[in-house]
Amino acid sequence: MSAVQCVGDVLYSTTSVCGLKGASVVLPCAYRYSWIGHYWRGEWYEERSGRVRGHNPPNYDCSLKIDKLTDDHSGVYQFRFYTTLHRSWITSKPGITVTVTDLKVKEIDVGDENQAKVTCSTSCSLHSELQYVWYKTGQTLQDRTTASILVYEVASYSCAVSGHEALRSPAKCVPDKQCWGVTYSYENSCVLLGSAVDIPCTYLHPKDDSINNTFWFNKQKSNNPPEDLNLADEYKNHVEYLGNNKSSCTLRLKDIRVSHSGEYAFRFTTTEGESYSGLPGVNISVTALQVLTHPEAVTEGERVTLTCDTTCALSKDLTFIWYKNGQPVTYKHTTRDNKLHLNPVSSEDAGSYSCAVKGHESLSSNDVSLNVRYRPTHVSVSISPSDGIKEGTSVTLTCSSDANPPVHTYTWYMKSGAESLVRGTGESISFNVTSNTSGLYYCEAQNELGSQNSTDAAVPPKEVAAMILTATITTLIILAVLLMLGILRLSSKKKAKMTADTRTTNANTQSDAGLVYSTVTVRATTSDPTQRVTTHDQDDVQYANVQINPSKRQEVPLYSTVQMPQSSAQDVANASVQFHRRSAATRAEDDSVTYSTVHKQ
């Protein structure tokens, strides 16, 4: 069929689709846009119901698949989208019309009493290339694949589309009013343990006869004549008849057990005493879910596939849900059908996995542990005790890690400059804290897959080491101060001794009249202040003014001397004047110290 282009830039390859009830259809669609911008959002819109289906088409393909068609899916569908530049809907009309149909067998009179024509009829035209499957009294008619066939026997007939045999039409008696028969919608069914299943069924009988009794039986567990399931203890509260006394004979099995597996058939009797059993019946297989891993042993970085396995094939339309440690798996890994692919697998993927079918989440499989092998990780060092560590006390270092298989070798190292020295092996080591054992330690954890080092740990801990360092520095400062004080004290004693010696020497050289003054003013005068003193005049002595005014902030020497040349005892009244430190009161009164030395010429 040629493409039909609608208003805008949405293209449909058809304007109508006929879908079989219970099957799926695809609405073919493509979109394009020539403006600058990027695809932002797209959706399908159904006019009659206003239903919207979000859609993120890849590579300009906006085709929509609708599964498990029902009558509610009938309507007109249009695709529309936004771009980042044009924020109004870009769409097309009239869209695609979806029609849902079921199958019915219709008899067509061909004017011959020995044959009749039957057609697998639909309310809309299915694809012309479809093939059909025909059934006579529940049995497949071989080599009958067209929509219409000729029949030559009185019997019940039904039809189905090839590939969708489970969607079989109701049976029809041909010719009408003269046949017996039971028709089932499918021949085999795989049922999940603990769930419920309906077995759709229709039956035919001569119109002149009335129904007296109807029931279902399990062929493998019934005698002859067959026994009603409702009368068996094994099926108490597990069966429910949904049929009537006209044409419907549908059975519901509830909370199915493994023992309920078998072939089920419908049987009825009429008021005329006639009876009919719809054999062969429907084979029911009951299965539980179980998780299988491949490969069974897996190492981090490899690929592993988990399969939600069953003993029989469940419906292809089922959706599987995966759980890890009881929580739904929603992260990076992908699911396809009943499989979960972990690629690459990591240590974080290790755990207990289970699976379930959507809509039957309470019927999940048993947990299966996924064992992922990986090298050591999260390696760390702990110190015991964690506080109160002093020099000379004992400490224990413990190395911990996460590894699978477990760590088989722990090695301890102490850093010494750019090198690392081996200090021991084993999960823990103990030693006394000394200057030789203090420093940075780390451990190496190793298993058969590899190794990893921890971060550095200080022994003693940094805060303790800081306290010890502070105490050591304080002690050194105190010792230095005491040493300086000792030196100053020795120096003072030495100076005092030297002063005493000097004083003794001066006392020996001076006359007995030597005096010590705290305040001295020496003034020498003559009868004539202007008279010069000559070097030849040995009898006259002239004294200069000597004033001692020490500064308030200056350290005053212990003593000062003023000496004059000594001629004789009677010429020199004082040959030596020694000055002692004046008192604080005297120093406070003086502003300066001045003195002169005058030698007799």
Side-chain angles (χ1 to χ4, degrees), residues 523-526 529 531-533 540-544 564 598-599:
R523 180 173 297 174
T525 60
T526 61
Q531 184 179 353
R532 296 182 60 184
V533 178
D540 296 330
V541 178
Q542 181 178 358
Y543 294 92
M564 297 176 64
V598 181
H599 296 278

Side-chain angles (χ1 to χ4, degrees), residues 104-125:
K104 292 182 180 180
V105 174
K106 289 186 177 181
E107 179 184 359
I108 301 176
D109 187 7
V110 294
D112 189 340
E113 295 181 355
N114 297 321
Q115 67 177 359
K117 183 177 181 181
V118 290
T119 300
C120 197
S121 176
T122 58
S123 60
C124 59
S125 298

Side-chain angles (χ1 to χ4, degrees), residues 243-555:
N244 53 40
N245 287 337
K246 295 181 179 180
S247 60
S248 175
C249 52
T250 300
L251 175 71
R252 175 172 294 169
L253 294 174
K254 302 180 293 185
D255 189 17
I256 293 181
R257 301 174 181 176
V258 175
S259 61
H260 293 159
S261 297
E263 182 182 352
Y264 291 82
F266 177 70
R267 180 178 175 84
F268 65 94
T269 60
T270 68
T271 56
E272 300 298 324
E274 301 288 343
S275 62
Y276 186 88
S277 295
L279 290 173
V282 177
N283 288 298
I284 300 295
S285 301
V286 181
T287 182
L289 301 177
Q290 59 177 338
V291 175
L292 302 179
T293 60
H294 179 75
E296 294 184 358
V298 62
T299 301
E300 189 173 37
E302 297 179 344
R303 172 193 174 113
V304 63
T305 298
L306 282 70
T307 303
C308 193
D309 194 40
T310 56
T311 57
C312 58
L314 294 171
S315 172
K316 295 181 180 179
D317 296 327
L318 295 178
T319 300
F320 289 83
I321 302 172
W322 286 92
Y323 300 91
K324 176 190 172 186
N325 299 328
Q327 300 299 318
V329 175
T330 57
Y331 52 101
K332 59 182 180 180
H333 302 298
T334 60
T335 60
R336 183 178 301 169
D337 299 329
N338 61 333
K339 299 182 184 298
L340 173 64
H341 302 287
L342 309 180
N343 184 29
V345 68
S346 70
S347 59
E348 297 178 354
D349 294 322
S352 296
Y353 286 82
S354 62
C355 63
V357 173
K358 188 174 182 179
H360 300 280
E361 289 80 359
S362 61
L363 304 176
S364 62
S365 69
N366 293 330
D367 291 339
V368 172
S369 295
L370 177 63
N371 185 21
V372 180
R373 293 155 44 93
Y374 51 93
R375 69 189 190 113
T377 184
H378 304 114
V379 182
S380 62
V381 174
S382 60
I383 304 175
S384 179
S386 58
D387 54 10
I389 299 177
K390 299 179 181 179
E391 188 171 358
T393 60
S394 176
V395 297
T396 298
L397 306 184
T398 301
C399 189
S400 61
S401 67
D402 180 19
N404 185 28
V407 172
H408 58 67
T409 302
Y410 290 96
T411 307
W412 290 92
Y413 297 89
M414 176 183 174
K415 287 189 175 180
S416 177
E419 298 181 352
S420 295
L421 306 177
V422 177
R423 288 302 190 186
T425 59
E427 189 173 355
S428 300
I429 59 172
S430 299
F431 54 88
N432 291 331
V433 178
T434 66
S435 59
N436 293 331
T437 61
S438 297
L440 296 177
Y441 286 78
Y442 67 92
C443 66
E444 178 190 47
Q446 184 175 15
N447 67 1
E448 60 188 68
L449 299 178
S451 63
Q452 188 180 70
N453 295 341
S454 69
T455 56
D456 296 338
V459 178
K462 294 181 179 180
E463 58 272 12
V464 177
M467 294 173 61
I468 294 175
L469 179 61
T470 301
T472 302
I473 293 175
T474 303
T475 302
L476 291 176
I477 292 174
I478 293 174
L479 291 175
V481 171
L482 292 176
L483 180 61
M484 292 178 63
L485 290 176
I487 293 173
L488 290 175
R489 185 174 181 182
L490 290 175
S491 177
S492 298
K493 288 183 178 181
K494 185 174 181 180
K495 287 182 180 180
K497 183 177 180 182
M498 292 175 62
T499 301
D501 293 341
T502 302
R503 288 178 178 176
T504 302
T505 303
N506 290 339
N508 292 334
T509 57
Q510 291 177 354
S511 62
D512 294 338
L515 300 177
V516 177
Y517 299 92
S518 58
T519 301
V520 179
T521 301
V522 180
R523 180 173 297 174
T525 60
T526 61
S527 58
D528 186 0
T530 63
Q531 184 179 353
R532 296 182 60 184
V533 178
T534 64
T535 58
H536 302 288
D537 189 359
Q538 300 293 331
D539 296 328
D540 296 330
V541 178
Q542 181 178 358
Y543 294 92
N545 293 332
V546 180
Q547 295 180 346
I548 302 174
N549 296 312
S551 172
K552 296 177 183 180
R553 300 178 182 177
Q554 184 176 357
E555 183 69 21

